[in-house]
Amino acid sequence: MYNPTVARLTYRALLGRRRAAILFVLPGLLLLIAAAVRGFNGADDQIAADVLGGFALATMVPLIGVIAGTGAIGPEIDDGSIVYLLAKPVKRPTIILTKFTVAVAVTMVFSAVPTFLAGMILNGNGQQVAVAYTIAALVASIAYSALFLLLGTVSRHAVVIGLVYALVWEALFGSLIAGARTLSVQQWALAVAEKVSGEGLVASDVGLPVATVLLAGVTVAATWYAGRKLRALTLAGEE
């Protein structure tokens, strides 16, 4: 269910000069913020949790997920080059699973790694803050990649929709409306971080068992439906 050729082409598309530059901006900004906060405030566990939760998990991870998830397939559908890939003797679920794997890998590298480094800069992993948010970034990367890959498959406006979800639903509504937080990948990931970190430093509105089920369910459902839509796209092209 993994095709090395499809993976190589997808990596090349995601890590091209322009996309790679965008992918490096947010992690670089996080590290600069972490260094500045540490310089001004010293090592403080609560401040470290606030920075990692407020910027890394709430902003950086979903935005990188948008870039990687939609970029794994969206541009190929938009410019029609997906037809050449679909003409190859590769199963459609294999194409989706390969692109999903690549999107997850890219999102994890550009979000979880800088999150851990920022946590170490901020407080040296006191109260397991750096590890907690790194794990949260890892699990969020999987769910975001599946969701945004699906968006890239079903809509030509996937980037815009993804940005609306990441910046409006997750960041704005999620901070103002309690019900919206329940349907938030960020909150599901925070439930995992809450289990790992020191008591009182991380809080989630969703319990860990529910969060685990939702993370797994959304990932599987979104990936499955993306494969289904890609198969339908093939049939439409053949007709």
Side-chain angles (χ1 to χ4, degrees):
M1 301 303 287
Y2 179 85
N3 187 284
T5 301
V6 174
R8 184 173 65 253
L9 294 173
T10 307
Y11 275 118
R12 186 179 300 173
L14 287 178
L15 300 177
R17 185 173 301 175
R18 185 165 63 179
R19 284 187 182 275
I22 297 174
L23 286 170
F24 276 107
V25 169
L26 288 171
L29 182 58
L30 173 63
L31 294 176
L32 286 175
I33 291 173
V37 170
R38 177 62 184 267
F40 284 111
N41 295 285
D44 185 288
D45 295 339
Q46 187 59 61
I47 291 177
D50 292 342
V51 171
L52 295 180
F55 183 81
L57 193 61
T59 303
M60 183 184 72
V61 180
L63 289 180
I64 291 177
V66 170
I67 297 170
T70 61
I73 196 169
E76 291 176 285
I77 294 178
D78 291 342
D79 63 21
S81 62
I82 190 70
V83 174
Y84 299 102
L85 179 58
L86 297 178
K88 303 297 182 182
V90 182
K91 294 180 180 179
R92 307 312 179 238
T94 298
I95 294 174
I96 287 296
L97 286 174
T98 300
K99 288 182 173 293
F100 168 67
T101 301
V102 172
V104 169
V106 171
T107 306
M108 283 182 172
V109 169
F110 284 92
S111 61
V113 173
T115 296
F116 178 75
L117 294 176
M120 295 302 292
I121 292 171
L122 285 164
N123 74 334
N125 195 37
Q127 298 291 316
Q128 295 292 306
V129 169
V131 170
Y133 276 101
T134 299
I135 294 174
L138 289 172
V139 298
S141 295
I142 299 172
Y144 282 131
S145 296
L147 283 173
F148 297 135
L149 179 65
L150 172 61
L151 278 178
T153 307
V154 302
S155 175
R156 291 182 176 272
H157 307 290
V159 174
V160 175
I161 297 172
L163 289 174
V164 169
Y165 175 82
L167 298 178
V168 178
W169 182 266
E170 291 267 6
L172 181 59
F173 287 172
S175 63
L176 299 176
I177 304 173
R181 291 195 288 270
T182 306
L183 300 176
S184 166
V185 174
Q186 177 190 342
Q187 289 296 321
W188 305 341
L190 279 173
V192 180
E194 184 179 13
K195 183 68 175 179
V196 178
S197 67
E199 186 176 353
L201 290 174
V202 183
S204 172
D205 289 350
V206 183
L208 182 59
V210 174
T212 303
V213 171
L214 289 172
L215 284 166
V218 165
T219 299
V220 172
T223 306
W224 171 81
Y225 193 62
R228 184 180 177 89
K229 293 300 292 184
L230 188 63
R231 188 180 296 114
L233 177 66
T234 307
L235 294 174
E238 290 173 351
E239 292 172 359

